[in-house]
Amino acid sequence: MTQVESYKEKWTTKIAEVKLGTDPEVRVGRQKALPFLNYEGPIPNKPAIALEIYDKLPSGLPEAGLPAHFLSIDKFIQNPETYQADLISLKLASIHPDESNTPKEEIIELFKKLEKTTRLPFIIWGCGHLERDKEVLLALAKETVGKNYLFGTVTQNNLEFMAKLALEYNHNLIIETPLDLNIAKQIALSLKNSGVSLNKMIIYPTTGALGYGLEYAYSITERIRLAGLQGEENLALPMIAAVGEISWRTKQSAERETTGILWESLSAVSYIQAGSDIVTMSHPEAIRLNLETRFNLEDEVL
Amino acid sequence: MFIIGEKINGTFSKVTEAIKNKDKKYIQDLALKQIQAGADSLDISSGPAFQNQADTVMEWLVKTVIEVTDVPLCIDNPVPLVIEAGLKCCKGPAIINSTSAEKSKLEALTDLALKYNSSLIALVMNEAGVPQDIDSRTALALEILSYTSEKGLSTENLYLDPLILPLNVAQDKIKDTLETIRNFQILSDPAPKIIVGLSNVSQQAKYRPIINRTFMTMAMEAGLSAVILNPLDKELMQTIKTAKFLLNQEIYYPDFLEN
């Protein structure tokens, strides 16, 4: 039978490699091909999966639109070894003035408790309130100097203190963009001009759940990855998708747990296919499904 | 857009003075300023004042510039011997500025390009002068292309110059140059590189910078890939940056004049 030669794309630029944590160190990026197309170029690092945890759960879970499997720090540290993931993604939702307005000292204490129970590297998200994020994220960054964590998110409004966070405490940064390539490039450039190295940056294009904006976020993620591979140095960065929480705030997931698991799992796999290098997830079963998929797709010789 | 900075040229009196006084610092500062402003390469020309010692002056200029930078140099002189004197001193591959379609010159300079692994700028004119119409220019371009590729010079190393005529004498011919740039794209696959000496379009004019940058955007749209210009003209460099976004050659970002 005749061998048909696959058409191979020639990419000019490699995606930057970002290293998270110290021991273990999780690496993302450094690929020179689209996801899973390892015959077009090297893909040295696997997509990483992060387990979503809240600092404190929003009071009244069902009212908050969240099912029982969601974790607070206190819940996680009861059985830390039962959870499988490459990273922990911690959302500091309670520090918002409209939530518990938790003082920074309490957050630091909570975090220290958490850190003792796991060696996985941390992704730490602020609450979106400028003053509280500045206060708490900087304090936490200082407290964890040397740990090489990933802090988020950088927007056009908080460039100054987030750049300081990276430069003074040597952590990595998540660049947030409202599904906009141009803003992503601008923030990356601004950070670069402040002295932050491109291999300390990850882009968060904003995530839509399946049925609730996934296609648009998918296309933006893909466009960013293509632009990077085609030579846009400031967009040749690893990307993150936050799939867990939003997948469970859907009508479909609220109806039945199995639906929710598939909803979350499919969303995650779609983002990985689009180019996300890290996906944050919540349900252990959805995480297990994705870890399985990840390994199967990688063994595929194309 | 491959940008060649034009400022190290003896036609500028300060450069001639620096050459006369062996003022290395002036030349080196001028080199670095142009690179900082965005030049990918530097044109090196002794200018009209040093006819007798053009080769010595070229050597001195090249040696002075390579002390502070590794960017490819564009060796600019009408005489092949002087060009060779410059090429000998270059550290890496250089660009020869320039040949025409005139046979003996094209032969000599293609040989030099192959010998020193340099690129070659070729003007689409010959001993009869500058052709007046698009087809004749395209025909000369084809002549140059087939000669150089036969001799083994890759199209990657050839820059065709369709020749800009100045606005104040040939305003009816400017659109022809744009059309010629468009035509040159299809002469080979991959397409040859196309270059112009931008400042020529505004020669002797009162408002040179705006004429230069306006023509530049038109030429970019037509398919220009390289240009010899003054990179210290900030507005010109900003115009080029803006045009790249408009032509979808680079991803736009809002604060592009600040960063």
Side-chain angles (χ1 to χ4, degrees):
Chain A
M1 193 172 130
T2 350
Q3 268 286 77
V4 178
E5 272 258 3
S6 301
Y7 176 81
K8 290 185 197 178
E9 202 68 69
K10 290 187 202 77
W11 305 109
T12 58
T13 308
K14 194 169 53 172
I15 306 303
E17 184 174 53
V18 177
K19 300 178 188 165
L20 303 174
T22 46
D23 177 26
E25 182 187 76
V26 173
R27 297 187 187 188
V28 291
R30 199 157 63 99
Q31 65 271 60
K32 206 174 177 186
L34 286 171
F36 303 112
L37 300 185
N38 52 15
Y39 61 90
E40 280 191 349
I43 306 180
N45 296 317
K46 303 194 245 289
I49 297 180
L51 175 69
E52 287 181 16
I53 300 182
Y54 282 87
D55 49 356
K56 294 178 182 179
L57 280 172
S59 52
L61 268 181
E63 282 85 51
L66 289 174
H69 74 263
F70 268 86
L71 297 166
S72 61
I73 291 181
D74 284 334
K75 198 163 163 202
F76 173 83
I77 63 180
Q78 284 164 29
N79 306 298
E81 65 287 335
T82 59
Y83 303 101
Q84 233 194 332
D86 305 305
L87 304 152
I88 307 280
S89 175
L90 175 65
K91 187 170 181 180
L92 300 177
S94 80
I95 68 176
H96 199 285
D98 297 345
E99 290 292 321
S100 310
N101 207 27
T102 318
K104 76 165 187 257
E105 295 75 19
E106 200 182 317
I107 294 294
I108 293 180
E109 214 187 289
L110 256 175
F111 186 80
K112 282 195 170 138
K113 260 200 318 195
L114 174 60
E115 246 191 338
K116 283 203 178 77
T117 65
T118 176
R119 296 176 60 186
L120 296 181
F122 282 90
I123 306 172
I124 299 159
W125 306 76
C127 66
H129 185 273
L130 267 175
E131 269 76 56
R132 293 253 60 215
D133 279 349
K134 182 174 182 180
E135 188 200 339
V136 179
L137 292 179
L138 280 176
L140 212 40
K142 187 173 181 186
E143 197 63 39
T144 55
V145 165
K147 301 284 177 71
N148 197 33
Y149 290 154
L150 176 61
F151 282 82
T153 60
V154 188
T155 64
Q156 287 170 292
N157 303 326
N158 65 7
L159 272 160
E160 234 187 279
F161 74 76
M162 290 305 279
K164 177 181 175 178
L165 192 156
L167 294 168
E168 250 178 72
Y169 307 119
N170 203 28
H171 292 288
N172 306 284
L173 295 176
I174 299 176
I175 293 172
E176 176 170 358
T177 168
L179 293 168
D180 188 322
L181 259 92
N182 315 108
I183 293 182
K185 176 173 176 172
Q186 171 145 309
I187 298 179
L189 254 173
S190 300
L191 286 174
K192 191 166 85 171
N193 290 340
S194 304
V196 183
S197 172
L198 281 177
N199 62 9
K200 300 289 262 178
M201 301 182 207
I202 293 188
I203 296 178
Y204 170 56
T206 314
T207 313
L210 179 63
Y212 296 82
L214 182 140
E215 323 86 83
Y216 193 46
Y218 183 106
S219 69
I220 296 289
T221 303
E222 206 177 41
R223 279 185 68 199
I224 293 175
R225 179 47 46 87
L226 285 168
L229 290 170
Q230 284 164 352
E232 276 285 346
E233 200 198 33
N234 301 298
L235 291 177
L237 304 174
M239 289 183 281
I240 183 169
V243 159
E245 181 185 330
I246 56 160
S247 297
W248 290 91
R249 287 189 184 280
T250 64
K251 186 182 71 178
Q252 290 79 3
S253 306
E255 281 168 9
R256 208 183 337 185
E257 197 185 15
T258 11
T259 314
I261 291 168
L262 290 173
W263 219 258
E264 182 178 351
S265 177
L266 279 168
S267 299
V269 125
S270 305
Y271 280 103
I272 292 174
Q273 181 62 72
S276 302
D277 302 272
I278 307 175
V279 282
T280 72
M281 301 179 69
S282 69
H283 200 291
E285 186 57 24
I287 293 178
R288 189 192 65 77
L289 275 172
N290 277 68
L291 285 173
E292 229 173 70
T293 316
R294 180 176 81 182
F295 291 130
N296 288 339
L297 279 171
E298 264 155 41
D299 291 341
E300 199 68 25
V301 175
L302 293 164
Chain B
M1 182 59 52
F2 187 73
I3 293 175
I4 304 177
E6 68 183 17
K7 301 294 286 180
I8 299 177
N9 190 318
T11 48
F12 299 112
S13 51
K14 288 221 177 106
V15 172
T16 301
E17 220 182 284
I19 295 173
K20 285 194 180 134
N21 300 332
K22 294 261 185 296
D23 183 356
K24 278 168 100 178
K25 185 166 190 304
Y26 180 81
I27 301 293
Q28 290 173 340
D29 281 350
L30 191 48
L32 290 172
K33 268 210 285 237
Q34 292 185 83
I35 294 169
Q36 229 167 36
D40 303 300
S41 160
L42 298 171
D43 193 73
I44 310 283
S45 170
S46 52
F50 304 97
Q51 307 283 24
N52 299 339
Q53 334 125 48
D55 51 349
T56 327
V57 171
M58 179 64 83
E59 274 175 27
W60 180 82
L61 281 172
V62 173
K63 285 183 178 163
T64 302
V65 170
I66 63 176
E67 271 179 29
V68 297
T69 177
D70 287 335
V71 304
L73 300 182
C74 188
I75 309 297
D76 185 353
N77 196 278
V79 180
L81 273 170
V82 178
I83 293 180
E84 184 160 22
L87 291 175
K88 278 202 181 118
C89 303
C90 287
K91 272 194 259 184
I95 305 166
I96 296 174
N97 187 6
S98 56
T99 180
S100 65
E102 192 264 297
K103 284 221 157 35
S104 56
K105 202 163 184 194
L106 181 57
E107 263 179 50
L109 290 173
T110 306
D111 281 345
L112 273 184
L114 291 166
K115 181 175 177 187
Y116 290 92
N117 191 29
S118 35
S119 297
L120 179 61
I121 297 175
L123 315 180
V124 293
M125 59 184 284
N126 55 15
E127 56 274 26
V130 181
Q132 286 305 301
D133 64 298
I134 302 173
D135 289 335
S136 312
R137 281 194 256 188
T138 311
L140 279 181
L142 258 171
E143 261 182 54
I144 295 170
L145 241 173
S146 44
Y147 178 83
T148 52
S149 52
E150 221 181 302
K151 282 286 175 152
L153 188 71
S154 146
T155 23
E156 301 253 301
N157 290 348
L158 182 65
Y159 291 86
L160 291 172
D161 187 335
L163 292 171
I164 315 180
L165 296 166
L167 175 62
N168 65 346
V169 297
Q171 111 178 75
D172 56 330
K173 292 283 189 302
I174 304 229
K175 276 173 89 172
D176 286 358
T177 304
L178 298 172
E179 185 65 28
T180 310
I181 294 175
R182 265 182 256 276
N183 283 1
F184 282 6
Q185 316 266 21
I186 54 172
L187 289 180
S188 66
D189 182 24
K193 296 185 178 163
I194 306 173
I195 192 171
V196 294
L198 185 63
S199 305
N200 291 327
V201 73
S202 64
Q203 237 176 56
Q204 312 288 352
K206 186 172 175 186
Y207 299 114
R208 299 197 69 177
I210 192 166
I211 295 171
N212 290 341
R213 62 179 180 263
T214 307
F215 179 79
M216 184 67 195
T217 60
M218 297 177 181
M220 283 172 76
E221 199 279 322
L224 191 71
S225 35
V227 60
I228 302 176
L229 51 64
N230 174 13
L232 305 182
D233 180 347
K234 192 168 175 197
E235 275 179 325
L236 173 57
M237 299 305 278
Q238 288 178 336
T239 302
I240 293 174
K241 193 170 190 181
T242 312
K244 279 193 196 162
F245 297 139
L246 291 166
L247 293 170
N248 200 24
Q249 290 168 359
E250 218 189 271
I251 302 271
Y252 164 78
Y253 58 102
D255 286 350
F256 68 92
L257 290 185
E258 285 129 76
N259 277 328

